[in-house]
Amino acid sequence: MNSFVSNQTLLGAHALITGATGGIGQAIARVFHAHGAHVHLSGRRTDVLQSLKDELGQRCDIWPMDLSDRDSVNSVIEQIKQEKIPLNILINNGGTNKNSLAPRIKDQDWDEVIQTNLTAPFLLCRGLFPVLKEATLGDQQGYARIINISSVVAFTGNGGQSNYVAAKSGLTGLTKALALEWASRSITVNAIAPGFIETPMTAGLDLQEWIRKIPKKRVGTPEEIAFAALFLADARAGYITGQTIHVNGGLCMV
Ligand SMILES: NC(=O)c1ccc[n+]([C@@H]2O[C@H](COP(=O)([O-])OP(=O)(O)OC[C@H]3O[C@@H](n4cnc5c(N)ncnc54)[C@H](OP(=O)(O)O)[C@@H]3O)[C@@H](O)[C@H]2O)c1
């Protein structure tokens, strides 16, 4: 069927989505699944992963993983390789913050935020590179996508989040470096930088203060991030690489 008239634009695709128990990750999983993809859901909370799997039914598997633990990440990479899962989309969405003014950030909180938001995405990109490369071979239509979920604060900075801002800025740099390395392999590497999105991560913030500064005068929805991811994941987005799509209601124009 002509993919221009079908909404099954991800039919045959296999997408690993980290942070699939969270607000944005669940939205990406639902949207990708609705567009025909086989979704591989990852997070720490297995009960939440299982209930999303129950909701989605077929074309869904779960891969519990702790992004702050190298062994856990490496063991999932090995399992995916052993089981020959034909992944062609990797969405590094899982993330965490441990906010504090810089002088008060504990070593442990610095390490956890960098490991979860930056080192784990690198380990997944590096470890799954052979799997993604495989997806691009053999068939003229083959392609692979890496989509990293960064943040508006990687571009604006934010006081009280130096660990998180450093990690997300690093993720933007990683996106560009891998895009250059892998452009000739039909693997595109892009990022999405959400502004303020209504999820558990922002539940404790005074959003009203931010809404006054956002030109759209509202926070974003997880589905608005999922739509940007769907666009980047599409086979027709093959000429876009090394880029960041900003989804922030006009808060920051880069
Ligand atoms: N919401 C926003 O306004 C906003 C803005 C900019 C960027 N972002 C980014 O968007 C992404 C998704 O965030 P969200 O808003 O959807 O937040 P969320 O609802 O809090 O979800 C965070 C996700 O990350 C996972 N996660 C956290 N630490 C983990 C660990 N050590 N190992 C494995 N998974 C871990 C959580 O899974 P478990 O709890 O199951 O482990 C959860 O699925 C994050 O990278 C975040 O930094 C969000």
Side-chain angles (χ1 to χ4, degrees):
M1 189 185 290
N2 181 341
S3 61
F4 281 91
V5 295
S6 163
N7 67 357
Q8 296 287 289
T9 48
L10 295 181
L11 205 60
H14 279 252
L16 174 64
I17 303 160
T18 68
T21 54
I24 291 172
Q26 292 201 22
I28 294 174
R30 290 191 179 102
V31 166
F32 275 43
H33 190 266
H35 283 76
H38 188 128
V39 291
H40 299 265
L41 312 174
S42 189
R44 283 171 303 186
R45 286 169 293 156
T46 45
D47 54 333
V48 183
L49 290 173
Q50 188 57 51
S51 72
L52 187 53
K53 178 175 163 56
D54 293 344
E55 172 195 319
L56 296 178
Q58 289 183 339
R59 292 184 284 107
C60 182
D61 289 299
I62 63 174
W63 301 84
M65 165 167 61
D66 182 349
L67 296 170
S68 70
D69 174 356
R70 277 172 185 263
D71 291 342
S72 172
V73 176
N74 286 330
S75 129
V76 167
I77 292 168
E78 282 319 306
Q79 259 178 281
I80 286 174
K81 285 177 173 166
Q82 269 174 21
E83 294 185 27
K84 299 197 186 304
I85 306 295
L87 274 190
N88 68 326
I89 301 172
L90 165 62
I91 305 200
N92 284 309
N93 165 72
T96 192
N97 56 28
K98 298 274 174 196
N99 300 340
S100 206
L101 291 171
R104 294 195 209 127
I105 291 185
K106 298 187 184 89
D107 285 357
Q108 191 187 333
D109 290 346
W110 175 270
D111 289 346
E112 183 179 338
V113 169
I114 299 292
Q115 169 69 34
T116 304
N117 295 288
L118 178 58
T119 306
F122 168 69
L123 294 177
L124 287 164
C125 290
R126 184 182 67 182
L128 293 173
F129 171 69
V131 179
L132 296 172
K133 195 176 65 175
E134 184 73 24
T136 69
L137 301 176
D139 160 2
Q140 297 263 318
Q141 307 296 318
Y143 71 97
R145 304 275 181 260
I146 295 174
I147 300 168
N148 295 322
I149 307 299
S150 175
S151 169
V152 65
V153 300
F155 298 84
T156 60
N158 199 22
Q161 289 199 305
S162 55
N163 45 6
Y164 183 76
V165 171
K168 292 299 191 183
S169 302
L171 192 57
T172 307
L174 179 68
T175 300
K176 292 181 188 179
L178 296 184
L180 279 170
E181 283 193 24
W182 297 345
S184 61
R185 307 282 195 163
S186 298
I187 304 172
T188 66
V189 189
N190 290 293
I192 297 170
F196 285 84
I197 309 300
E198 199 160 13
T199 71
M201 186 174 271
T202 50
L205 300 178
D206 177 6
L207 288 176
Q208 287 312 317
E209 193 191 319
W210 280 104
I211 285 170
R212 276 194 283 279
K213 298 179 188 161
I214 298 170
K216 289 291 290 181
K217 297 298 172 212
R218 65 171 179 83
V219 294
T221 66
E223 289 71 26
E224 286 170 318
I225 305 303
F227 176 67
L230 179 68
F231 168 72
L232 289 172
D234 195 287
R236 293 162 289 180
Y239 202 53
I240 303 171
T241 197
Q243 307 302 315
T244 298
I245 295 189
H246 296 268
V247 185
N248 61 32
L251 178 63
C252 162
M253 301 184 192
V254 184

